[in-house]
Amino acid sequence: MCLRVAVRLAAPAGVRGSGVRRLAARVSGQLHEAARRCLGPGQGELDRAAFEELFPWGVRDGVSGWASAVLAEGVLVPAGGGYRFAHEEVADWIQGMHLDLEAAVEALVLRRRGGSSVPVPRHRAGPVVRALLQVERQVGAAELGSKLRELVPWIGPEPPRPAAGVPGAGDEASWWAAHLVGEVLLRVREARAHLPVLEELADAGAFGPWFWMALDIDDDTRFALLRRLVVRDGAEAGERYLDAVAEALAADPGRVQRQLTRWFDDERELPALPDATVATAAQALLHTHRHRAVDDLTEALVDCAHPRADELLAALADEEPSALCRAVDRWAHDERPARHVAAVAYGLRAAPRVTSEADRGLLRYAALALLSRPSDCTLHGAALAFLVRDPQSRSAYLAPALSRFAAGDPQLPAAALATALGTHPEPVLAAFQARLREQGPGTGDVLRTLAEVTTPALARRAAGLVQDLARDRPEAAAGQVAGFVDRRLEYGAGARAVLFPLVVGLLQTGAVAVRGALAPVLAAPGTPASRALRAELLDVLLGQERDLTVLDAVLCAVARSAARRGQAPSRELVHRTGMLLVRTPEGAACFDRRLVELARTVPEFAPLVARWLAAAPQEWAALVGPSARRMIENLAGVRVPA
């Protein structure tokens, strides 16, 4: 600009070459002087007298027309009764070069000398910002960082108290500190060089989300700072840092997903979200925005190798099985052994939810890749599980799968073989029967799988296997048999035709251990689907049972479920069980002892029993002894009539 002004001045005077350059230097000097004068009382403007002194209309330094040349080039323009720089950015830059920065900060923010004698309007902040930026250019980032850290304490919600005698200065000082620090950090060449300042600001919750998203910093730094900031979100409506993170994730999921997996270790609570932590919020965001880049998400999670990543991958296996099938295929063909393990773990989870031929094909290719590597021999059972589930490859691989299942391969679950029951029932049932006879660690897996069989003919054969197990190994298998019955009961009326005769047979001829394990299952309220069948089978048990341990198990189960069952049904069952127990002295003692123990340990059971005793004392007199009655009275805090 100065050179263009010099050319205008030089032409009429015939000045050329180096003379023009010297003239441009003199123009530059005058402009710098104009900038210094703009910093004074003029509040960014030159009055007419100062302008004409610096840029006369007549002759100066042997040339004429300074004022007209400066105005013609648009360096300065008329403004009110004076002149100002035409370009605000240029004005801020050149004025910032001449600003007494220490005095300006002292007057505008620190107020250690009582404040500025001349109020500085906020729109004049530009030169101060430029002066701070000059510090980094001239001295270095460390010096600028020192000056910014001096201002940071004034930015928080409660800035330091200003000097005495400066009324209302605190709010103005806070504004200036925030504006100067914020504008400088948004304009510096490398904001990450001022990471300590940024961390202080983040810990104070300074600036809104827009500021942190606008900073020119790398993603690692930005999301580390946002991680500090999200705990500052309030419950009230308004801009929240977590919302900014969500928007960034939605806009560019592939870039942000890996950043959020680094939050999985952060268990700090979020005040804005009850019962949420930074880790659970990150997990929820990744799940919510999974659809935009679900394949990238599976890769980010498997790379993370964190329990929360495992949880999210398990959820994706349930909700996005196609994406998991693609991931399993990639991981199975990867050279890294850890990826092969992941392919097996999540392939087994996704396989039961696969419905399309394309997804089955991906699992098939993954399984064949695993089988082709001798080094992956420990994973071959899982690979065979994929192939047995696939109707296209089942016949070719069922025999080796059954062989590995018989050998107890933990990677080959019974549920995978159960998919072949419809096409190859005999060999599969034979394998299940052999596993049950061994009574090894896989017994529970087999029984859980058999409980899911709903085809009537196969369900009857499954029930036969359970009946044989209860007969052959009653002590060892009682709990697992009861678990099978419990799961089958939840199928409701559809399971009655097979389940009712099985349970009645177990109650009539089964060992005490089996009947004792079934007692709490039948005495449980269950869900609406199983409630009627449980009650019917419990009636069968109470109609014929005389063993004290079995009846005691019924009593305990009824007491612990009284709150869910309701007062009237619970009273009837406790009374009926008591009537069966008090037929013998041992049973009567057992009933008294257990009733007191349950009144002591089960919440609300003591007041419930106390109400029953008070409402019908004669009806309970033959069942509850005097000492037990007094204990229940003490526990319930009421007086029970004698």
Side-chain angles (χ1 to χ4, degrees):
M1 288 191 301
C2 292
L3 186 59
R4 291 201 301 269
V5 171
V7 169
R8 280 184 179 273
L9 293 172
V15 179
R16 290 180 175 81
S18 60
V20 176
R21 290 193 294 273
R22 288 193 296 272
L23 188 56
R26 289 198 292 273
V27 173
S28 175
Q30 296 302 94
L31 287 175
H32 277 277
E33 179 60 25
R36 280 192 288 271
R37 297 193 185 190
C38 286
L39 291 171
Q43 299 293 314
E45 294 182 1
L46 281 175
D47 60 29
R48 186 173 298 276
F51 174 79
E52 292 178 352
E53 178 187 346
L54 296 172
F55 308 105
W57 295 97
V59 178
R60 179 177 188 142
D61 295 336
V63 293
S64 62
W66 285 75
S68 57
V70 168
L71 294 173
E73 286 298 332
V75 181
L76 294 167
V77 294
Y83 298 85
R84 63 174 174 80
F85 281 89
H87 302 285
E88 184 176 359
E89 288 289 321
V90 173
D92 291 345
W93 166 67
I94 195 170
Q95 290 174 49
M97 296 171 69
H98 300 285
L99 180 71
D100 184 344
L101 181 60
E102 297 295 336
V105 171
E106 200 58 69
L108 296 172
V109 181
L110 305 181
R111 312 282 174 144
R112 286 192 286 245
R113 299 193 187 100
S116 173
S117 59
V118 179
V120 180
R122 292 180 175 183
H123 71 268
R124 294 291 296 136
V128 190
V129 172
R130 286 293 179 177
L132 285 165
L133 291 171
Q134 285 293 328
V135 171
E136 183 180 53
R137 288 179 176 273
Q138 295 171 359
V139 186
E143 180 64 22
L144 175 59
S146 176
K147 292 185 178 300
L148 294 179
R149 280 196 297 275
E150 191 175 17
L151 297 175
V152 167
W154 293 82
I155 298 176
E158 294 184 9
R161 188 181 298 278
V166 190
D171 292 343
E172 194 68 12
S174 182
W175 183 91
W176 276 98
H179 186 80
L180 295 177
V181 171
E183 287 297 315
V184 167
L185 290 174
L186 288 171
R187 295 166 184 253
V188 290
R189 287 175 293 184
E190 179 51 70
R192 197 183 185 285
H194 303 286
L195 184 58
V197 176
L198 292 171
E199 289 176 342
E200 286 186 46
L201 293 171
D203 290 339
F207 303 119
W210 65 270
F211 172 82
W212 302 96
M213 302 309 294
L215 280 172
D216 186 14
I217 51 178
D218 59 276
D219 282 343
D220 289 352
T221 304
R222 189 187 318 281
F223 283 91
L225 292 168
L226 287 169
R227 178 174 169 177
R228 291 171 175 258
L229 285 157
V230 291
V231 296
R232 310 288 303 188
D233 281 333
E236 64 277 1
E239 282 190 315
R240 298 194 301 184
Y241 301 107
L242 195 62
D243 293 336
V245 174
E247 290 172 7
L249 177 61
D252 193 351
R255 179 173 62 89
V256 179
Q257 286 164 346
R258 292 181 181 274
Q259 296 295 335
L260 290 184
T261 62
R262 299 174 185 174
W263 295 17
F264 284 168
D265 286 321
D266 195 334
E267 296 301 332
R268 291 176 300 160
E269 295 183 355
L270 295 179
L273 298 174
D275 304 321
T277 65
V278 175
T280 58
Q283 193 181 43
L285 284 176
L286 290 171
H287 180 264
T288 300
H289 296 279
R290 64 190 184 277
H291 299 295
R292 291 288 304 277
V294 67
D295 291 328
D296 290 339
L297 178 58
T298 56
E299 294 303 319
L301 293 173
V302 78
D303 284 341
C304 178
H306 189 279
R308 291 198 179 278
D310 296 340
E311 291 173 4
L312 192 46
L313 279 170
L316 292 177
D318 294 338
E319 300 169 9
E320 308 289 341
S322 294
L324 259 293
C325 289
R326 294 193 296 273
V328 167
D329 184 46
R330 291 194 302 273
W331 299 339
H333 289 87
D334 198 297
E335 292 303 318
R336 290 169 288 183
R339 288 294 184 272
H340 306 163
V341 175
V344 164
Y346 297 106
L348 290 173
R349 182 67 181 256
R353 290 154 184 82
V354 168
T355 56
S356 72
E357 177 56 35
D359 289 346
R360 279 193 289 267
L362 289 171
L363 293 183
R364 184 166 61 247
Y365 302 144
L368 293 173
L370 293 171
L371 286 176
S372 69
R373 296 191 189 94
S375 59
D376 284 338
C377 59
T378 57
L379 306 178
H380 286 181
L384 290 169
F386 298 159
L387 295 169
V388 168
R389 286 183 178 277
D390 186 351
Q392 185 172 329
S393 56
R394 179 178 300 154
S395 297
Y397 292 94
L398 181 60
L402 291 172
S403 177
R404 291 191 75 96
F405 182 77
D409 190 331
Q411 297 286 354
L412 186 57
L417 294 180
T419 60
L421 278 172
T423 55
H424 302 77
E426 298 304 329
V428 174
L429 287 172
F432 286 170
Q433 186 176 40
R435 181 66 69 86
L436 292 176
R437 284 175 178 167
E438 293 172 3
Q439 194 57 35
T443 301
D445 179 35
V446 173
L447 287 176
R448 284 190 295 273
T449 300
L450 290 174
E452 304 298 322
V453 176
T454 57
T455 305
L458 293 174
R460 281 192 292 272
R461 298 191 64 177
L465 295 180
V466 174
Q467 193 167 31
D468 292 345
L469 178 64
R471 181 192 64 233
D472 297 339
R473 299 175 178 272
E475 299 293 336
Q480 293 167 329
V481 169
F484 171 88
V485 171
D486 194 25
R487 283 185 287 274
R488 287 299 295 156
L489 281 166
E490 292 305 323
Y491 282 86
R496 190 183 190 284
V498 174
L499 190 60
F500 190 85
L502 169 65
V503 177
V504 169
L506 294 175
L507 294 177
Q508 290 175 344
T509 62
V512 171
V514 175
R515 305 199 312 271
L518 287 172
V521 170
L522 303 181
T527 66
S530 66
R531 193 163 297 152
L533 187 52
R534 287 180 195 268
E536 187 177 1
L537 289 169
L538 180 60
D539 188 61
V540 172
L541 182 151
L542 293 176
Q544 63 188 32
E545 189 58 65
R546 296 297 178 266
D547 187 90
L548 295 185
T549 59
V550 178
L551 293 172
D552 183 54
V554 172
L555 178 62
C556 292
V558 171
R560 293 186 179 112
S561 61
R564 288 185 293 143
R565 188 190 307 275
Q567 179 172 333
S570 298
R571 178 192 180 282
E572 180 184 350
L573 286 173
V574 171
H575 190 274
R576 184 177 179 184
T577 306
M579 291 294 291
L580 294 174
L581 283 168
V582 299
R583 292 182 179 186
T584 64
E586 295 84 355
C590 174
F591 184 68
D592 268 6
R593 184 173 61 254
R594 183 65 75 186
L595 206 63
V596 171
E597 179 185 331
L598 291 168
R600 182 180 295 112
T601 59
V602 179
E604 300 182 359
F605 188 62
L608 196 62
V609 175
R611 285 198 294 272
W612 296 342
L613 298 178
Q618 298 304 318
E619 184 179 347
W620 291 87
L623 301 180
V624 184
S627 61
R629 185 187 300 266
R630 284 193 296 272
M631 285 294 297
I632 293 170
E633 173 186 343
N634 292 334
L635 291 168
V638 298
R639 181 68 180 175
V640 181

